[in-house]
Coordinates of all heavy atoms in Angstrom, one line a residue:
S62 N 5.5 -18.2 -0.3 CA 6.3 -18.7 0.8 C 7.8 -18.5 0.4 O 8.6 -18.1 1.3 CB 6.0 -20.1 1.2 OG 4.7 -20.2 1.6
I63 N 8.1 -18.8 -0.8 CA 9.5 -18.6 -1.3 C 9.9 -17.1 -1.3 O 11.0 -16.8 -0.9 CB 9.7 -19.2 -2.7 CG1 9.5 -20.7 -2.7 CG2 11.0 -18.8 -3.3 CD1 9.5 -21.4 -4.0
M64 N 8.9 -16.3 -1.7 CA 9.2 -14.9 -1.6 C 9.4 -14.4 -0.2 O 10.3 -13.6 0.1 CB 8.0 -14.1 -2.2 CG 8.2 -12.6 -2.3 SD 6.8 -11.7 -2.9 CE 5.7 -11.7 -1.4
A65 N 8.7 -15.0 0.8 CA 8.9 -14.6 2.2 C 10.3 -15.0 2.6 O 11.0 -14.2 3.4 CB 7.9 -15.3 3.1
V66 N 10.8 -16.1 2.2 CA 12.2 -16.5 2.5 C 13.2 -15.6 1.9 O 14.1 -15.1 2.6 CB 12.4 -18.0 2.0 CG1 13.9 -18.3 2.1 CG2 11.6 -19.0 2.8
L67 N 13.0 -15.2 0.7 CA 13.9 -14.2 0.0 C 13.9 -12.9 0.7 O 14.9 -12.3 0.9 CB 13.5 -14.0 -1.5 CG 13.5 -15.3 -2.4 CD1 13.1 -14.9 -3.8 CD2 14.9 -15.9 -2.4
I68 N 12.7 -12.4 1.2 CA 12.6 -11.2 1.9 C 13.4 -11.3 3.2 O 14.1 -10.3 3.6 CB 11.1 -10.8 2.1 CG1 10.4 -10.5 0.8 CG2 11.0 -9.7 3.2 CD1 8.9 -10.4 1.0
K69 N 13.2 -12.4 3.9 CA 13.9 -12.5 5.2 C 15.4 -12.5 5.0 O 16.1 -11.9 5.8 CB 13.4 -13.8 5.9 CG 13.7 -13.8 7.4 CD 13.0 -15.0 8.0 CE 13.2 -15.0 9.5 NZ 12.5 -13.9 10.2
L70 N 15.9 -13.2 4.0 CA 17.3 -13.2 3.7 C 17.8 -11.8 3.3 O 18.8 -11.4 3.8 CB 17.6 -14.2 2.6 CG 17.4 -15.7 2.9 CD1 17.5 -16.5 1.6 CD2 18.4 -16.2 3.9
L71 N 17.0 -11.1 2.5 CA 17.4 -9.8 2.0 C 17.3 -8.8 3.1 O 18.1 -7.8 3.2 CB 16.5 -9.4 0.9 CG 17.0 -8.2 0.0 CD1 18.4 -8.5 -0.6 CD2 16.0 -8.0 -1.2
G72 N 16.4 -9.0 4.1 CA 16.3 -8.1 5.2 C 17.4 -8.1 6.2 O 17.5 -7.2 7.0
R73 N 18.3 -9.0 6.0 CA 19.5 -9.0 6.9 C 20.5 -7.9 6.6 O 21.3 -7.4 7.4 CB 20.3 -10.4 6.8 CG 19.5 -11.6 7.3 CD 20.2 -12.9 7.0 NE 19.6 -14.0 7.7 CZ 20.0 -15.3 7.5 NH1 21.0 -15.5 6.7 NH2 19.4 -16.3 8.1
T74 N 20.4 -7.4 5.3 CA 21.3 -6.3 4.9 C 20.6 -5.1 4.4 O 21.2 -4.0 4.3 CB 22.3 -6.9 3.8 OG1 21.5 -7.4 2.7 CG2 23.2 -8.0 4.3
L75 N 19.4 -5.2 4.0 CA 18.7 -4.1 3.4 C 17.4 -3.7 4.2 O 16.8 -4.6 4.8 CB 18.2 -4.4 1.9 CG 19.4 -4.7 0.9 CD1 18.8 -4.9 -0.5 CD2 20.4 -3.5 0.9
D76 N 17.1 -2.4 4.1 CA 15.9 -1.9 4.8 C 14.6 -2.4 4.0 O 14.6 -2.6 2.8 CB 15.9 -0.4 4.8 CG 14.8 0.2 5.7 OD1 13.7 0.4 5.1 OD2 15.1 0.4 6.9
P77 N 13.5 -2.7 4.7 CA 12.3 -3.1 4.0 C 11.8 -2.1 2.9 O 11.2 -2.5 2.0 CB 11.2 -3.1 5.2 CG 12.0 -3.4 6.4 CD 13.3 -2.7 6.2
F78 N 12.1 -0.8 3.1 CA 11.7 0.1 2.0 C 12.4 -0.2 0.7 O 11.8 -0.1 -0.4 CB 12.1 1.6 2.4 CG 11.1 2.2 3.4 CD1 11.4 2.6 4.6 CD2 9.7 2.3 3.0 CE1 10.5 3.2 5.5 CE2 8.8 2.9 3.8 CZ 9.2 3.3 5.1
Q79 N 13.7 -0.6 0.8 CA 14.4 -1.0 -0.4 C 13.8 -2.3 -1.0 O 13.7 -2.4 -2.3 CB 15.9 -1.3 -0.1 CG 16.8 0.0 -0.3 CD 18.2 -0.4 -0.1 OE1 18.8 -0.3 0.9 NE2 18.8 -0.8 -1.3
I80 N 13.4 -3.2 -0.2 CA 12.8 -4.5 -0.7 C 11.5 -4.2 -1.3 O 11.2 -4.8 -2.4 CB 12.7 -5.5 0.5 CG1 14.0 -5.7 1.2 CG2 12.2 -6.8 -0.1 CD1 13.9 -6.6 2.4
V81 N 10.7 -3.3 -0.8 CA 9.4 -2.9 -1.4 C 9.7 -2.3 -2.8 O 8.9 -2.6 -3.7 CB 8.7 -1.9 -0.5 CG1 7.5 -1.2 -1.2 CG2 8.2 -2.6 0.8
L82 N 10.7 -1.5 -2.9 CA 11.0 -0.9 -4.2 C 11.4 -2.0 -5.2 O 10.9 -1.9 -6.4 CB 12.2 0.1 -4.1 CG 12.5 0.8 -5.4 CD1 11.4 1.7 -5.9 CD2 13.7 1.7 -5.2
F83 N 12.1 -3.0 -4.8 CA 12.4 -4.1 -5.7 C 11.1 -4.7 -6.2 O 10.9 -5.0 -7.4 CB 13.3 -5.1 -5.0 CG 14.8 -4.9 -5.1 CD1 15.5 -4.7 -3.9 CD2 15.4 -4.9 -6.3 CE1 16.9 -4.5 -4.0 CE2 16.8 -4.7 -6.4 CZ 17.5 -4.5 -5.2
R84 N 10.2 -5.0 -5.3 CA 9.0 -5.7 -5.6 C 8.1 -4.8 -6.6 O 7.6 -5.4 -7.6 CB 8.2 -5.9 -4.3 CG 6.8 -6.5 -4.5 CD 6.8 -7.8 -5.1 NE 5.4 -8.4 -5.2 CZ 4.6 -8.1 -6.3 NH1 5.1 -7.4 -7.3 NH2 3.4 -8.6 -6.3
T85 N 8.0 -3.6 -6.3 CA 7.1 -2.7 -7.2 C 7.7 -2.5 -8.5 O 7.1 -2.5 -9.5 CB 6.8 -1.4 -6.5 OG1 8.0 -0.7 -6.2 CG2 6.0 -1.7 -5.2
A86 N 9.0 -2.2 -8.5 CA 9.7 -1.9 -9.8 C 9.7 -3.1 -10.7 O 9.5 -2.9 -11.9 CB 11.1 -1.4 -9.5
V87 N 10.1 -4.2 -10.2 CA 10.1 -5.4 -11.0 C 8.7 -5.7 -11.5 O 8.5 -6.1 -12.7 CB 10.6 -6.6 -10.3 CG1 10.5 -7.9 -11.0 CG2 12.1 -6.4 -9.9

Side-chain angles (χ1 to χ4, degrees):
S62 301
I63 292 173
M64 185 183 74
V66 171
L67 299 179
I68 290 169
K69 197 170 186 69
L70 291 172
L71 197 55
R73 293 173 173 175
T74 55
L75 298 183
D76 190 274
F78 279 120
Q79 271 188 266
I80 307 175
V81 168
L82 182 62
F83 273 120
R84 172 66 178 86
T85 58
V87 172

